Amino acid sequence: MPEQWEAWFTGATIVTMIGAIAFGRAQADIIVVGALMLLLVAGVISPTDAAAGFGNTTVLTIAFLYIVAAGLKETGAIGYMSNRILGRPQTAFQAQSRLVLPIAFTSAFANNTPIVASFLPVLSALSRRTGIPVGKLFMPLSFAAILGGLCTLIGTATTLIVKGQLEDFQRMHADTISEPETFDFFTITPVGLPVALVGLTYILLFGRLLLPGNRTSKDSEEVVRQYMAALRVEEDAAIVGKTIEQADLRHLPGLFLSRIDRGDETIIAVEPDTALRAGDVLVFVGQLSSLVDLRQRRGLVPASDDADPAQAPSPGYRPDLRLIEAVVSSNSPLVGRTVRDAGIRTRYSAVVVAVQRLGHQLRGKIGDIVLRPGDTLLLETNKGFSERFRSSSEFYLVSETAQNAAPRHEKALMAIGIVTLFVILLGTGILEPMAAAMLAAGLMVLTRCCRGPQARRSIDWTVLAVIGAAMGIGRAVDQSGLGTMIAEPLAQWAPSLGAVGMLIVIYMMTNIFTTFMTHSAAAALVCPIAFQFALAADFPLLPVGLCIAIAASAEFTTPIGYQTNLMVMGPGNYRFLDYARFGGPLTIISAIVAITSISLIAM
């Protein structure tokens, strides 16, 4: 029998962990693994149980699915489909209607992240070509991918986690559960499909009204997609000694000179007759296109990551460099570090030219900016950067250079065939999910749809670490007695709550957890508590699992819970409020449809 202190210690650890994740004190994987370490050192959980999550078949299945998705991306299969899907829409509604259903269908059988990543540059080009605001396209892209993922077992990692947790819980309580319930490939479909269809209908009906259009303003303080850039005047630059007016640094389109940092002095409200000196750091705020043009001027070099002019490139030094936009992911080691201390020059062979954070006016020196998930960096780097990091979990690349290795289009049909075989094997039950995923991943590598290095880079190890550690913490919840401590009082209310009331409680609890952490970690932590609740109330476990799987993914009110929402935040010019305005009603609608469907179908 577990001692009472173990339950309280486990609860305190989880509360502290959630708080640390919510306030962004460190990366999620470090925090969750650290919480597991505390429980292990305190003796709440054994080493075998702590490590069980990392060797769980669910975690291995998710790892292999990353490789399958990489094969689709590297062969250009997703891009091939996207061009045929989108065509030449004339209005935002036409673009959305051609986009959301195919994206949802594809996401039901492939990982969401590479699908969204592949469509970002496609939709950016479509926006430039047609004039349709990106704000009308990127959030529907992410939401449609999430909704489609709710329809099958492999559509999202959350469903796989719930399946694994359900099987583990039933094994550990085999003496109490006489008839174990199974979670197969299409078990979630009768619930997820109605949620997806209603959600996609909502997107098409209200996307034109609630999503932002082009956000521009003559008032620079109101321009949403603003970059902050710092450029240093080189020693022998032609503009040294010239005034701001003479150097043609006034009246730049979509760009203004915010201030000049000169040693320990800061010059604000810069006058046009201010003379420039060598070593001056010019801080600009404005649009990307204008900053790119400004960066082409000789004598101006990035000044974001070093305070010593001697470390800057030599005058006239202009190797084969290009500018790339990259969004900092929630798993990036840059999160929580300043631009200056992040080691971007040495780690990535890149220099930060500018930083953009939606909804915030960045102040102070650019090197002192503490990076957050969703920040967009304008990097000056070599042509190999995109090839090295486009499959990395550290960045969500928004714009890639034309010199990137071209997709292996001749392998696109092969990749699609492998995915089709994978779905058939799973749908018919011929192979278990892990075996089918391993086979599909192996075929992707053997057929050269995805090369070995690309396969290794495609795996998001930080996500796997979060899931594995969260599963270990879930075992601690069960073994410490915390799950029983929480579940028994709730079970006493069960008769008055009724079946629907229980589902609502579980759904809300999962949704709230997801708001403060990733959907995968939320599902792994809520499962043992909810299953204990169901067991104590003599309630079937499968409806509870379906409820958690939907609730953990269908949270649209913030960009935090699901990584594709964070991916589109910067490129789509979104604020947090946009997610609440457009995603809030969708979250409520999804909950109503899901709980109704579970009540009618699974109970």
Side-chain angles (χ1 to χ4, degrees):
M1 289 291 292
E3 298 182 23
Q4 191 174 30
W5 74 266
E6 295 180 348
W8 286 108
F9 185 84
T10 303
T13 301
I14 291 175
V15 170
T16 304
M17 177 189 71
I18 294 174
I21 293 174
F23 288 101
R25 297 301 182 187
Q27 294 172 254
D29 58 327
I30 300 298
I31 295 172
V32 179
V33 172
L36 179 64
M37 178 196 69
L38 285 177
L39 296 172
L40 175 63
V41 172
V44 176
I45 188 173
S46 68
T48 301
D49 288 326
F54 298 100
N56 191 284
T57 56
T58 298
V59 176
L60 296 176
T61 302
I62 294 170
F64 292 130
L65 287 178
Y66 277 118
I67 299 175
V68 174
L72 287 173
K73 183 179 179 182
E74 297 299 332
T75 59
I78 297 176
Y80 172 80
M81 292 185 291
S82 67
N83 292 328
R84 291 181 173 271
I85 289 168
L86 294 174
R88 296 181 176 274
Q90 300 300 315
T91 65
F93 178 77
Q94 288 181 3
Q96 291 168 358
S97 61
R98 296 179 185 182
L99 175 69
V100 295
L101 189 59
I103 286 293
F105 178 80
T106 307
S107 295
F109 305 104
N111 187 277
N112 295 334
T113 304
I115 293 174
V116 172
S118 297
F119 268 82
L120 284 176
V122 173
L123 293 183
S124 295
L126 176 68
S127 175
R128 291 192 298 269
R129 187 171 67 249
T130 63
I132 299 172
V134 290
K136 302 288 187 184
L137 301 175
F138 284 175
M139 201 179 292
L141 166 67
S142 176
F143 286 6
I146 295 171
L147 290 168
L150 301 176
C151 297
T152 68
L153 176 64
I154 62 171
T156 175
T158 306
T159 313
L160 286 165
I161 291 168
V162 171
K163 170 184 168 62
Q165 293 285 78
L166 176 63
E167 293 173 348
D168 284 349
F169 186 85
Q170 291 180 143
R171 277 196 299 269
M172 289 188 292
H173 297 270
D175 54 337
T176 307
I177 302 171
S178 57
E179 296 183 9
E181 298 177 87
T182 58
F183 200 133
D184 298 322
F185 187 78
F186 291 112
T187 299
I188 197 173
T189 306
V191 179
L193 184 58
V195 173
L197 292 176
V198 173
L200 296 178
T201 302
Y202 167 84
I203 291 173
L204 295 178
L205 289 178
F206 296 98
R208 291 169 294 170
L209 300 175
L210 299 179
L211 287 171
N214 287 322
R215 280 178 167 151
T216 57
S217 169
K218 292 182 180 180
D219 183 357
S220 60
E221 291 290 328
E222 295 177 359
V223 176
V224 176
R225 190 157 167 72
Q226 288 184 336
Y227 275 91
M228 176 183 177
L231 299 175
R232 177 181 290 109
V233 179
E234 292 186 300
E235 291 290 338
D236 61 348
I239 59 175
V240 173
K242 293 184 178 180
T243 65
I244 298 296
E245 186 83 44
Q246 293 169 338
D248 196 23
L249 294 176
R250 291 192 71 216
H251 307 300
L252 299 172
L255 194 68
F256 79 101
L257 180 59
S258 173
R259 69 176 190 271
I260 298 177
D261 293 332
R262 179 175 292 167
D264 296 330
E265 178 187 5
T266 297
I267 304 172
I268 58 175
V270 183
E271 297 293 337
D273 59 352
T274 301
L276 293 169
R277 301 179 186 175
D280 281 352
V281 176
L282 312 181
V283 179
F284 293 90
V285 177
Q287 299 174 359
L288 173 62
S289 57
S290 297
L291 286 173
V292 172
D293 293 339
L294 184 65
R295 182 62 191 96
Q296 304 306 313
R297 299 193 184 191
R298 294 183 63 85
L300 293 178
V301 296
S304 60
D305 64 344
D306 60 77
D308 182 5
Q311 297 182 26
S314 59
Y317 179 72
R318 186 76 64 174
D320 186 17
L321 301 178
R322 67 281 327 276
L323 295 173
I324 291 180
E325 279 186 292
V327 180
V328 178
S329 77
S330 56
N331 299 319
S332 175
L334 303 179
V335 173
R337 305 179 68 181
T338 65
V339 172
R340 179 179 296 107
D341 296 335
I344 295 174
R345 183 187 294 273
T346 55
R347 182 181 179 89
Y348 303 108
S349 299
V351 177
V352 177
V353 177
V355 180
Q356 183 255 332
R357 178 177 300 159
L358 292 174
H360 297 275
Q361 182 72 30
L362 296 174
R363 303 184 185 281
K365 294 185 177 181
I366 193 170
D368 295 331
I369 295 173
V370 179
L371 296 173
R372 302 178 184 174
D375 285 352
T376 304
L377 307 180
L378 184 64
L379 300 174
E380 185 177 70
T381 183
N382 56 50
K383 64 181 181 181
F385 181 89
S386 293
E387 178 65 23
R388 295 196 308 273
F389 294 104
R390 64 178 176 178
S391 298
S392 169
S393 62
E394 300 182 18
F395 295 111
Y396 304 127
L397 294 183
V398 179
S399 59
E400 301 185 6
T401 61
Q403 287 78 10
N404 284 338
R408 309 188 70 182
H409 294 292
E410 72 279 3
K411 298 287 187 179
L413 292 179
M414 176 69 73
I416 294 173
I418 291 173
V419 173
T420 303
L421 173 64
F422 170 56
V423 172
I424 292 173
L425 292 174
L426 276 181
T428 56
I430 296 174
L431 290 178
E432 288 293 316
M434 193 194 80
M438 181 183 289
L439 175 63
L443 289 175
M444 286 290 187
V445 176
L446 289 174
T447 59
R448 308 292 289 175
C449 292
C450 176
R451 293 187 291 271
Q454 294 169 332
R456 285 190 290 271
R457 288 198 304 268
S458 69
I459 299 175
D460 195 334
W461 298 104
T462 56
V463 170
L464 299 183
V466 168
I467 295 172
M471 285 184 170
I473 295 172
R475 288 207 173 190
V477 169
D478 188 45
Q479 295 178 6
S480 68
L482 177 62
T484 303
M485 182 184 295
I486 297 173
E488 286 182 346
L490 290 176
Q492 295 176 4
W493 300 340
S496 59
L497 290 173
V500 174
M502 289 183 63
L503 292 176
I504 291 174
V505 170
I506 293 169
Y507 198 102
M508 289 178 60
M509 180 169 60
T510 308
N511 237 197
I512 292 171
F513 268 58
T514 305
T515 302
F516 295 104
M517 60 176 61
T518 67
H519 58 104
S520 301
L525 291 177
V526 171
C527 276
I529 299 174
F531 289 154
Q532 284 281 10
F533 177 26
L535 191 64
D538 195 24
F539 194 77
L541 297 180
L542 184 60
V544 173
L546 294 173
C547 185
I548 296 171
I550 300 292
S553 295
E555 204 294 306
F556 305 99
T557 56
T558 74
I560 297 173
Y562 214 100
Q563 60 189 8
T564 58
N565 286 338
L566 187 63
M567 288 172 64
V568 302
M569 185 178 179
N573 299 341
Y574 298 123
R575 301 186 181 99
F576 268 73
L577 184 61
D578 294 324
Y579 287 89
R581 183 172 59 246
F582 186 59
L586 181 56
T587 301
I588 296 172
I589 292 170
S590 299
I592 294 172
V593 176
I595 292 171
T596 302
S597 300
I598 294 171
S599 301
L600 294 175
I601 297 169
M603 295 175 58

